[in-house]
Amino acid sequence: MTVTVNNLLVFDDDPSMCALVEDIASSVGYKARSVNTSDEFFQVFGDFHPSVIVLDLNLKGSDGIDHLRFIAENNSTAKILIVSGVDQRTLSSAERLGRSVGLDMLGSLKKPFDINVLEDMLQGGLAPDAMDIDAELPGAIESEQLLLHYQPKFTMDADGGVRMHGVEALVRWQHPRTGLRFPDEFIPAAEKSGLILPLTDLVLRQAMERVATWSANGLDLSVGINIPARMMNDARFPDRVFALLARHELAPDRLTLEITERDVMTNTETAMANLTRLRIKGIELSVDDFGTGYSSLVQLYRMPFNELKIDKSFVIDCEGNEEARSIVEIIATLGHKLGMIVCAEGVENLATFQFLRDLGCQRAQGYLLSRPIPGEDIEGFTREFKPPS
Ligand code: C2E
Ligand code: CA
Ligand code: CA
């Protein structure tokens, strides 16, 4: 499978300008989106993974420089194009500032501009090479271009306390030509080709090694790993996991295997036996993305899972949407009635966090608490973490 990642994000408080840039970007081959406010920008930036950002400097309540800093602090490899009505000297100095904080500046353009010039500049921002995932991923796995970021997972105590108990390992691909790639771009292809098996083995090895290193430094954390259905259908899988735990002298409850609700549905007899063996040993088993896969209550009841992760799509919508809140409440009740630990992911704001705590959800994960971060930053994070209030 070949993919070229050309996502373009426009940030301008003038909707007609957004529409114009989006049109031109689409016509030269980008998948384009636009945002009008800072809040929207921060949100979409994290999920859309733009390869080009078109940024206005005169924004309501901000001068755009904060946004340049934000992009740099998030280690984005996006190319930046500044488009603004300010004078050329100011534009150039903003461009220099961008470079000085390590950003890849595509250039700047003074409004009003010639559409052909914008078109040429956007052409220049197109990724030079497509990634041929099927051809390149095997080499990437071998040369360990795949790396893990870790998103902190928290326990919400009944008395209102919050503490970090673990992390979820999330794979990224440091691609030599196109920069840091996110799993949604290559996991589906890896699932199709079967490369998901060596990929998952690598993730398991890297994550356990990291957990063992943290432990050696006095930080005991558990780690969640995303496991595809295929892996669970391999009768030798549990023994490989037990061997890895033993090699790193880690207790089984330091490992959580996350399997999506969709994959749980396709479980075979082998998978069922594997799950049971893993759970008997004390490894935690989590149903991921719950609420999207249409599993039946009977299936859920029969499987030895001990954690239910409410899909982030419902959690993200909690703040302004009563239906989403009802779904979250029903899932939490279901999980609790079945004796499972309920974890909410996608917790982005304090109101949702408090709502979940009031529902009795025991665990939470989300941008409010922390985004996924490199493994070497976790120890610093645990020292500096302050519960949201
Ligand atoms: P997931 O297992 O549901 O992982 C959570 C995803 O939600 C992560 O995206 C995380 O960055 C994002 N997220 C966490 N908190 C928030 C929040 O508050 N708001 C929003 N909008 N998003 C949030 P990421 O890292 O891009 O991973 C996407 C998916 O790729 C994962 O979804 C998982 O299904 C898959 N994936 C990631 N790593 C692996 C892996 O090692 N193996 C396999 N098989 N799949 C993986
Ligand atoms: Ca997961
Ligand atoms: Ca999930």
Side-chain angles (χ1 to χ4, degrees):
M1 195 173 106
T2 308
V3 292
T4 313
V5 189
N6 283 308
N7 287 354
L8 179 139
L9 179 61
V10 194
F11 181 15
D12 199 305
D13 52 10
D14 173 2
S16 62
M17 180 55 68
C18 287
L20 174 70
V21 179
E22 263 191 88
D23 272 357
I24 298 171
S26 305
S27 75
V28 300
Y30 288 94
K31 184 166 136 201
R33 281 183 68 174
S34 62
V35 291
N36 307 122
T37 65
S38 290
D39 283 351
E40 271 182 284
F41 176 76
F42 296 137
Q43 164 77 55
V44 174
F45 175 86
D47 297 332
F48 185 55
H49 311 307
S51 55
V52 171
I53 298 173
V54 178
L55 185 68
D56 183 14
L57 291 181
N58 293 89
L59 298 155
K60 280 189 205 95
S62 157
D63 51 19
I65 301 300
D66 297 346
H67 300 95
L68 285 176
R69 288 220 177 84
F70 170 83
I71 297 164
E73 278 160 13
N74 279 279
N75 302 320
S76 172
T77 51
K79 297 185 172 65
I80 317 291
L81 175 61
I82 299 176
V83 177
S84 180
V86 298
D87 62 77
Q88 191 57 51
R89 272 184 56 195
T90 313
L91 270 181
S92 303
S93 91
E95 209 183 317
R96 269 197 307 280
L97 185 98
R99 270 197 199 95
S100 74
V101 294
L103 292 175
D104 184 356
M105 302 302 289
L106 194 59
S108 57
L109 201 55
K110 182 168 157 40
K111 288 182 193 170
F113 51 80
D114 179 345
I115 287 177
N116 295 318
V117 176
L118 176 63
E119 207 176 284
D120 285 349
M121 291 182 108
L122 294 186
Q123 289 273 10
L126 285 169
D129 275 316
M131 289 161 51
D132 184 342
I133 294 180
D134 293 337
E136 296 182 60
L137 191 53
I141 294 171
E142 259 168 41
S143 61
E144 307 218 344
Q145 280 169 20
L146 299 185
L147 55 105
L148 298 179
H149 280 182
Y150 296 88
Q151 186 175 34
K153 287 176 84 170
F154 297 83
T155 298
M156 300 190 272
D157 293 322
D159 65 359
V162 191
R163 66 194 159 82
M164 177 175 164
H165 70 269
V167 291
E168 175 174 1
L170 295 159
V171 69
R172 275 91 182 90
W173 181 356
Q174 188 62 57
H175 190 271
R177 295 193 314 280
T178 67
L180 193 66
R181 312 287 13 140
F182 287 80
D184 291 342
E185 296 167 23
F186 57 90
I187 291 288
E191 298 241 11
K192 245 193 210 143
S193 65
L195 284 170
I196 193 70
L197 299 177
L199 182 149
T200 308
D201 272 329
L202 178 67
V203 171
L204 269 164
R205 283 201 309 276
Q206 280 193 12
M208 297 238 215
E209 205 177 307
R210 183 63 86 170
V211 171
T213 309
W214 287 325
S215 273
N217 295 344
L219 179 62
D220 287 332
L221 294 173
S222 70
V223 64
I225 312 274
N226 293 289
I227 303 289
R230 271 186 195 239
M231 201 94 182
M232 270 303 160
N233 288 324
D234 174 359
R236 290 158 306 184
F237 177 65
D239 288 328
R240 288 212 300 282
V241 172
F242 301 150
L244 265 175
L245 284 168
R247 184 188 311 155
H248 294 294
E249 296 178 18
L250 292 171
D253 65 359
R254 302 284 290 283
L255 180 64
T256 304
L257 302 179
E258 300 190 3
I259 302 166
T260 64
E261 187 192 12
R262 246 181 223 103
D263 277 4
V264 168
M265 299 271 303
T266 63
N267 265 340
T268 60
E269 224 169 275
T270 313
M272 186 67 183
N274 282 347
L275 289 168
T276 309
R277 286 187 64 201
L278 291 158
R279 188 69 198 119
I280 287 172
K281 263 273 198 240
I283 288 165
E284 292 209 7
L285 298 177
S286 178
V287 187
D288 203 356
D289 301 348
F290 191 81
T292 59
Y294 310 104
S295 60
S296 74
L297 287 182
V298 177
Q299 276 166 318
L300 197 61
Y301 173 72
R302 285 194 184 142
M303 303 273 181
F305 288 94
N306 68 306
E307 184 187 73
L308 195 66
K309 266 185 132 171
I310 309 175
D311 189 66
K312 61 178 177 292
S313 60
F314 307 116
V315 179
I316 287 170
D317 283 351
C318 265
E319 196 180 18
N321 182 328
E322 200 174 329
E323 261 172 29
R325 281 199 295 278
S326 298
I327 292 173
V328 167
E329 191 173 341
I330 290 165
I331 296 176
T333 306
L334 173 67
H336 288 145
K337 293 268 181 211
L338 291 175
M340 297 166 90
I341 297 167
V342 175
C343 175
E345 66 176 7
V347 183
E348 294 189 348
N349 56 62
L350 192 59
T352 301
F353 179 76
Q354 284 161 345
F355 167 71
L356 292 162
R357 191 157 58 188
D358 293 346
L359 281 184
C361 284
Q362 297 99 320
R363 292 179 179 170
Q365 192 180 340
Y367 293 170
L368 171 74
L369 299 152
S370 171
R371 287 182 177 258
I373 54 179
E376 54 272 24
D377 295 347
I378 287 286
E379 285 170 82
F381 175 85
T382 56
R383 280 194 298 271
E384 280 155 33
F385 173 73
K386 296 212 171 42
S389 59

